[in-house]
């Protein structure tokens, strides 16, 4: 891997301000999903080392939370600046372990820093309140304080920004953090730790514990079970999120969960079809469809169905899969398991009557690449309509009217993102109110910025990242009743 700054490629874990190997020297391999070639061997830690990291976070807490928000913010701004300065190298590392095109990886790096900068400012505004007391000689006062030692567990699909979205607000609020990245993508996390150290984040304030998938349950039990930990912030599958939430229940730890989704993408007959097609290209094929807010159920109204299929087919035929370093529009799927799921969803839909219009199989590249695919006439009971596909497959379904669209869209246990296209202002407002999702998007296929709350309802999660609401996730409310004011 060619890097301008080779120090960014770290393979040891980062605990209490020092690079640490596993007690027994164990390592695990990280592979480039585009080639299957080994990229690095990374320290494979267990619960003992995790415990050390948590204790270091606890030791570091007093000094960190007692600094002013302005002082913590200055360090975080420096971190964001260093990340941007090294965006090319960080994108190279990210692409090598995750597979997305370099340009897209660079976009993720820069997007991730926006949360660090945002919360470096926002923490200065963690205002308290005075509340008029019903008792004449008393006053009620509320302050917001950092929760304490926090832990984060993050997935492989956004190996950098899912980390900055947690560590930025946690540290800004005055919490300390131990983070466990996914087995497939630890290198991006370690590079962020290297830059955090350079930015002046003190030892123990941010540690990264690396482990493979076999070790994740034991490390996860320590992270969720250690009594020093007060909060877990998890991004990943709903299945693992439920397990970790149950583990946290024993210690009544606060949880924030960013889980799976099954986004409806609704195109009404009065939509700007070019905008709807353009939006779908980003929403469905970015990161080869491996995003939680990916359009999974594309609902198109009868009157514009054929026209939409034609325009979408033209656009999708122009997308090229390939390795990150070339000019490809999308990379490979993360692993064989991911590829199997995408194949299974396509086969299932076809066996139930769907038609393959574009793609539908692997391109000549082989490996874990899958061709950008358009399926039409997908039946409502197909797997693709009920499970996350996590691949570049656009499955289209017809609908009759607004009620029909709402009923299909809400027929899911997920509630993360929803999209619809319509130019009728009354309908826009009705749809916004009726869709049971945490993030509704009208006439736009992309979303997510540091100023807007990101998160889901139903089984898609608890809590919000980004925005003024995102800071609250890392703060506790403490009240003071001040009495005896009378002479
Ligand atoms: P995953 O299997 O749930 O893994 C996520 C993280 O949890 C990884 O670090 C994984 O470690 C760890 N993990 C797995 N089992 C664990 C256990 N028993 N104890 C502790 N940690 C454990 O999810 P994924 O397949 O990596 O990611 C894709 C999922 O994330 C999708 O469902 C997607 O929708 C969701 N996602 C949601 C958002 C959002 O903001 N809502 C954003 C991105 C992704 P190992 O890798 O070592 O197994």
């Amino acid at each position: 891997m060619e890097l301008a700054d080779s120090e960014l490629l770290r393979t040891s874990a980062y605990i209490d301000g020092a690079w640490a190997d596993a007690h027994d020297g164990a390592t695990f391999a990280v592979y480039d999903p585009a080639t299957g070639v080994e990229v690095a061997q990374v320290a494979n830690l267990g619960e003992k080392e995790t415990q050390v990291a948590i204790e270091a976070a606890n030791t570091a807490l007093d000094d960190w939370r007692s600094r002013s928000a302005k002082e913590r913010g200055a360090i975080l701004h420096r971190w964001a600046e260093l990340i941007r300065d090294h965006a090319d190298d960080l994108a190279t590392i990210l692409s090598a372990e995750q597979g997305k095109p370099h340009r897209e990886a660079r976009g993720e790096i820069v997007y991730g820093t926006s949360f660090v900068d945002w919360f470096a400012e926002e923490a200065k505004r963690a205002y308290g309140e005075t509340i008029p007391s019903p008792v004449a000689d008393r006053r009620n006062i509320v302050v917001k304080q950092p929760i304490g030692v926090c832990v984060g567990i993050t997935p492989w699909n956004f190996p950098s920004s899912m980390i900055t979205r947690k560590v930025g607000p946690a540290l800004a609020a005055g919490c300390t953090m131990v983070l466990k990245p996914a087995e497939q993508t630890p290198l991006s996390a370690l590079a962020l730790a290297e830059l955090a150290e350079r930015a002046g984040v003190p030892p123990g304030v941010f540690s990264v514990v690396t482990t493979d998938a076999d070790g994740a349950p034991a490390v996860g039990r320590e992270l969720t079970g250690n009594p020093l930990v007060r909060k877990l912030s998890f991004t990943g599958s709903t299945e693992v999120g439920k397990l970790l939430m149950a583990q946290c229940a024993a210690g009544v730890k606060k949880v924030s969960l960013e889980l799976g989704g099954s986004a409806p993408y609704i195109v009404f007959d009065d939509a700007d079809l070019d905008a709807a097609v353009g939006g779908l290209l980003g929403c469905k094929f970015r990161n080869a469809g491996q995003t939680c807010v990916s359009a999974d159920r594309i609902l198109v109204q009868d009157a514009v169905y054929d026209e939409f299929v034609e325009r979408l087919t033209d656009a999708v035929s122009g997308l090229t899969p390939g390795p990150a370093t070339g000019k490809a529009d999308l990379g490979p799927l993360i692993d064989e398991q991911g590829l199997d799921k995408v194949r299974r969803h396509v086969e299932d839909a076809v066996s139930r009557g769907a038609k393959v219009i574009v793609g539908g199989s692997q391109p000549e590249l082989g490996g874990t690449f899958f061709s950008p695919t358009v399926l039409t006439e997908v039946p409502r009971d197909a797997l693709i309509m009920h499970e996350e596909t996590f691949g570049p497959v656009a499955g289209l379904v017809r609908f009759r009217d607004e009620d029909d669209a709402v009923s299909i869209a809400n027929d899911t246990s997920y509630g993360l993102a929803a999209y619809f296209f319509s130019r009728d202002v009354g309908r826009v407002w009705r749809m916004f109110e009726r869709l049971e999702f945490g993030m509704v998007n009208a006439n736009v296929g992309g979303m997510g910025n540091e100023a807007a709350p990101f998160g889901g309802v139903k089984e898609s999660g608890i809590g919000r990242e980004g925005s003024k609401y995102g800071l609250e996730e890392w703060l506790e409310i403490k009240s003071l009743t001040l009495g005896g004011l009378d002479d």
Side-chain angles (χ1 to χ4, degrees):
M1 195 186 310
E2 294 255 324
L3 299 175
D5 183 342
S6 59
E7 293 287 293
L8 292 177
L9 186 58
R10 291 288 185 173
T11 55
S12 300
Y14 183 71
I15 296 177
D16 200 11
W19 298 99
D21 292 323
H23 287 336
D24 59 2
T27 60
F28 63 96
V30 176
Y31 299 98
D32 180 342
T35 59
V37 170
E38 185 179 306
V39 179
Q41 284 283 335
V42 172
N44 195 3
L45 272 48
E47 51 187 302
K48 289 232 160 51
E49 298 93 324
T50 307
Q51 194 183 341
V52 171
I54 293 168
E55 283 163 5
N58 191 50
T59 305
L61 183 62
D62 261 351
D63 168 66
W64 186 247
R65 70 179 160 197
S66 63
R67 297 186 189 204
S68 70
K70 188 172 179 177
E71 195 182 340
R72 290 194 299 266
I75 293 174
L76 289 169
H77 279 311
R78 260 202 308 280
W79 188 35
E81 210 175 301
L82 284 170
I83 297 172
R84 279 191 292 273
D85 288 349
H86 293 85
D88 272 329
D89 275 354
L90 294 172
T92 301
I93 292 170
L94 199 164
S95 289
E97 61 182 353
Q98 202 275 345
K100 67 179 70 171
H102 190 273
R103 164 182 39 79
E104 210 175 294
R106 205 178 188 291
E108 179 185 337
I109 303 288
V110 174
Y111 166 74
T113 63
S114 65
F115 290 86
V116 179
D117 282 328
W118 172 269
F119 285 108
E121 293 304 313
E122 202 59 23
K124 296 172 192 168
R125 294 183 277 272
Y127 301 130
E129 211 173 0
T130 57
I131 299 171
S133 170
V135 183
D137 77 334
R138 293 188 188 168
R139 299 292 180 270
N140 290 107
I141 296 163
V142 168
V143 295
K144 301 213 179 139
Q145 293 189 319
I147 290 178
V149 175
C150 298
V151 297
I153 300 180
T154 49
W156 50 263
N157 62 343
F158 289 92
S160 185
S161 59
M162 294 302 108
I163 294 175
T164 47
R165 247 169 47 170
K166 297 187 190 309
V167 180
L171 267 53
C175 300
T176 55
M177 162 76 96
V178 177
L179 181 105
K180 188 207 93 60
E183 175 194 31
Q184 292 99 329
T185 57
L187 300 174
S188 293
L190 295 170
L192 288 173
E194 165 69 25
L195 293 175
E197 184 179 80
R198 291 187 202 175
V201 173
V205 170
F206 171 42
S207 292
V208 177
V209 171
T210 48
T211 183
D212 66 5
D214 289 342
V219 168
R221 277 193 297 276
E222 182 61 31
L223 291 172
T224 54
N226 190 311
L228 296 175
V229 173
R230 293 309 327 144
K231 180 199 166 89
L232 162 76
S233 178
F234 171 76
T235 298
S237 62
T238 296
E239 185 192 354
V240 174
K242 287 180 183 176
L243 174 78
L244 296 174
M245 187 178 177
Q247 289 176 197
C248 283
V252 197
K253 297 185 198 317
K254 193 162 171 165
V255 291
S256 296
L257 304 172
E258 296 282 353
L259 308 177
S262 174
Y265 192 99
I266 307 165
V267 182
F268 284 102
D269 57 13
D270 64 339
D272 174 340
L273 289 191
D274 284 333
V277 168
L280 188 57
L281 285 191
C283 185
K284 180 71 253 183
F285 297 98
R286 182 169 63 104
N287 204 12
Q290 303 170 111
T291 84
C292 53
V293 292
S294 224
D296 266 317
R297 299 172 292 143
I298 299 145
L299 316 178
V300 186
Q301 198 159 9
D302 274 329
V304 291
Y305 189 90
D306 294 337
E307 175 73 18
F308 184 78
V309 169
E310 203 173 300
R311 293 196 203 186
L312 182 66
T313 303
D314 277 355
V316 173
S317 306
L319 296 178
T320 322
T325 43
K327 290 211 166 101
D329 298 298
L330 61 161
L333 297 169
I334 190 71
D335 54 23
E336 283 290 334
Q337 220 184 328
L339 177 65
D340 285 348
K341 187 172 191 193
V342 172
R343 278 204 193 109
R344 192 157 46 83
H345 276 197
V346 171
E347 282 164 18
D348 169 78
V350 170
S351 75
R352 293 171 196 265
K355 296 188 180 61
V356 178
I357 306 297
V358 190
S361 57
Q362 288 204 263
E364 279 180 10
L365 288 159
T368 58
F369 286 95
F370 198 84
S371 297
T373 296
V374 176
L375 303 177
T376 58
E377 311 301 344
V378 173
R380 296 179 186 192
D381 59 354
L383 280 180
I384 207 168
M385 294 289 286
H386 299 281
E387 293 177 10
E388 276 186 305
T389 302
F390 248 51
V393 181
L396 273 60
V397 177
R398 286 177 189 270
F399 72 88
R400 291 185 307 276
D401 54 23
E402 202 174 300
D403 285 345
D404 194 23
V406 169
S407 127
I408 304 172
N410 287 343
D411 182 20
T412 171
S413 58
Y414 291 115
L416 193 57
Y419 309 80
F420 67 91
F421 283 72
S422 168
R423 283 176 291 195
D424 175 334
V425 70
R427 170 179 282 161
V428 167
W429 190 254
R430 286 194 301 275
M431 290 300 288
F432 172 51
E433 290 189 343
R434 295 179 75 189
L435 288 168
E436 297 166 354
F437 295 82
M439 295 173 284
V440 175
N441 301 274
N443 299 318
V444 59
M447 58 165 176
N449 63 65
E450 72 280 16
F454 190 105
V457 299
K458 295 162 81 175
E459 293 190 18
S460 286
I462 295 174
R464 294 293 178 270
E465 291 186 339
S467 81
K468 67 171 185 173
Y469 306 104
L471 191 68
E472 302 293 326
E473 303 285 323
W474 307 91
L475 296 169
E476 292 281 22
I477 288 174
K478 187 189 264 186
S479 74
L480 172 71
T481 302
L482 179 63
L485 299 185
D486 285 350
D487 283 342

